[in-house]
Every structure is written in structure tokens, then in C-alpha cells.
Amino acid sequence: MSALTEEEQSLLAKCVAKVGCEEPHQCLHIPYSEFLRSTGLTEEQGQLAWSLFCRTAYPWQQHCRLATELKDDDVWISTGDMEIDKCLGGGIRLGSMVEVVGESASGKTQLCIQLAISAQLPETYGGLDGDVIYISTEGPFPVHRLESMVYPLAHRVCGEDYANSVDPADFMHRIQVAEFESMETMFHAFDYKVPALLSTGNVRLMIVDSIAAHLRFNTGDDDTGQSPFAFYKERSESLVAMGAKFKRWANEYNCAFVFINQVTDMFTGDNGNGNGTPSANFRSRPGLSLPSRGNSTESDSSAELSSTGDMGTEFAAMATRKKAPALGAVWSNIIDTRIMMYQRRGIAPSEFRLASDAQDDATNQATIEPPSHLLRTRRWIENAFSPWAPSAQCEVILDESGFQHISHASI
């Protein structure tokens, strides 16, 4: 009651003595009419005393902060590239749940390794000097790639002097790796091992690679005889419970959670009007939606051979492949941010000539050379949705130091 005036404290002490309670908040357990009768207070005095009891029992003001104070708490894990960070609204925000989704070989694990190194960089270079938890459910942890990325990424972000002083073993020593081959062992780790690691107080990033590995399918032919419907119902319940747990930990330990997710094929109706399941309208689904740049049609199957190299056209070609994140709408409503990764592999000159010749039999194959942008693999990172940043896309390259943005002027 230190926040109360002497007069207010005297009133509460009088009420506690007359009601016969040991603690002030116990007065709230009796009916208000009984409280007035026992204390002999008037209605006005009783309302005042009752509000003072509520203030001492439920100090909600202690949990309120000014918006200017919250701004100071906005801390981000950088990707090591300013343009990619800008695309993502600042990087990976502490206290958030982020999904990284894309097709196989699109660079999801590479990006997470990059984040695991960046989170450990010194604060003087924009890092967080924090520890990392890496849960792998799809085979061995890529330790050699981590080791080979440390020096070039440190060199690019922090400069040559710092890079020459780092030892990859120091970074590897600060990453707690756990590998699980079943859903049961993964959930057991979430219940017991992860809280113990987070309680050390210096973990700033936890990565699950991937969240969908043990949760995607059920054939209904297992020993339990569980039907597919029962499996997916149980999975949804588990995802909701797990998501609530991660959100609580993210706020309590000021840690970012990054989940790699897989993609699944989307199917539409034969009539092509989007009446199939799921809808052909990518923009209205929680799937790999088309980025805002460029207009395209589903029938534009030749867009990948475009000579313009326009980003919207490139995405139009990828859209025809109909991919959506796994785990459905339940998982999509749990995460805070979705980062989507796209890739269009380069084609050989001979493949381009054959494709062009198929469109025009009179074309002289020997004189046709493909545009340069079709010869190399192109990659994009998209911020699909986020509560703190608008949707945005960034074209990137992947080298020994991880992902870097690439400007269209250099293409």
C-alpha cells in the first residue's frame, strides 16, 4: 500500500480490522453488502474503500508501459544484410514467432544458419551476443556449413579485423543442437529440455528445422488404428497448445522462435475457375501467394522463358506450380511472420533453344541465345505477412557468406 496516501492507508486498515481479515485483499472475498454492514461505511466511503482494495489486490498499472518505452524494447536479429532486414521490417524481432517456408533447396536452412551466426555477433557490430537453440528433425545438423560460413559472414558484417580474430569453434560452442526422429521425442523436448535451456537467460534465438517433419501426414494404417481425421484433429490441438507455449516463452525470455516449414501441392478444379479445393486465388489463401509486384495469369506457362527478367514475371512462372505452406490454417494463425523463399533454377542453353523451337518451327536454333538472367539460378525472399512491416520482396544471391541482396541494376 506504499502508493496510497496516509489517509487511504488508514481507511483500509480500519476496514480490515472491522471485517476481521488478515490481508486487505481478503476483504474482496465477502459480498459488498456484507462489507458495508461490517465496516459501517456510507455508500460513498464504501465505494472508495472497495476501489482501494482492488488497486492493492490487482495492481494493473504495474503492467502498463508508455509506448515510448516499448519502442526501446524493439530488438531485432539482423540477417547480416541491410536490404534483407529492410524487407523483413528490421530482421527477426525478439519475442516473435517466425515461419520460413519454401520448396526444397530454396535456402531455408541456409538462412537459419546465417541467423544463428548473426545472433552471436558482438553488440558493437549489431549482433546480440546471444546463444542459440537449434532443433533438427530432418537429419543431421549441417555443422560443416555452419563452420564454413562463420568467417565470410563475420568479414562481410564486421570487417576484416574482427573476422581474423574469430574462431568458428566459439560460435559452434554457443549453439545447443538437438536432433529428434519422432514426434514424441520432439514434444518431450519442448516440454522439458527447451524450458531448461531457455532459463539460462542468454538464449536469443531458437530454430526448429522443420516443424512439419513429424506433423504432416498420417496414413491411418499405424498400429493405433487412428483415422486420418482423428490424426489431423489431434495435430491441430497440439499445434495450438504448442503455439501458446512458444508465445509465452518468447515474451518471458525475450527470444525469437524461427520455424522452418515445408510446402505442399495445391489442387484446383478442372474447370479452371477456382472452384476446386483449395482455391486457385493465391492472394486470398494463407499459401505461397503471389508478391504484389507484377500481374500474371495462371495460363502464362511460358513466363519463365521471358526475356525481360521482370520480378513479377518470374513469380508468375513459379505461381503455376501451386504450392502452399504445410500444417494448414491453424498453424498460419499461430505464427507472427511468414517469410517465403523462392527459387528459379537456371536453364541450359540447349533447353532454351528447344523450348523456343517448339514455339516456332522456323526458328534457327543455332542463332538463338538465351537471356543471361535465365542461365543463372535466381532467388527471392518475401515478407508475406507481418504485424510490423508491409509485404515486400527482395532478390538475393547465396554465396559462402549466406544470403545477400542483389540489385536489378547488377543483373
Side-chain angles (χ1 to χ4, degrees), residues 102-140:
E103 294 185 85
S104 177
S106 59
K108 303 184 295 295
T109 298
Q110 300 285 333
L111 177 62
C112 287
I113 293 175
Q114 186 171 337
L115 291 171
I117 297 173
S118 181
Q120 300 182 56
L121 293 176
E123 295 181 7
T124 53
Y125 293 104
L128 298 180
D129 195 23
D131 297 334
V132 179
I133 301 174
Y134 199 110
I135 294 180
S136 177
T137 63
E138 296 193 34

Side-chain angles (χ1 to χ4, degrees), residues 16-17 19-27:
V16 170
V19 172
C21 296
E22 296 181 359
E23 298 292 337
H25 66 84
Q26 293 177 344
C27 293

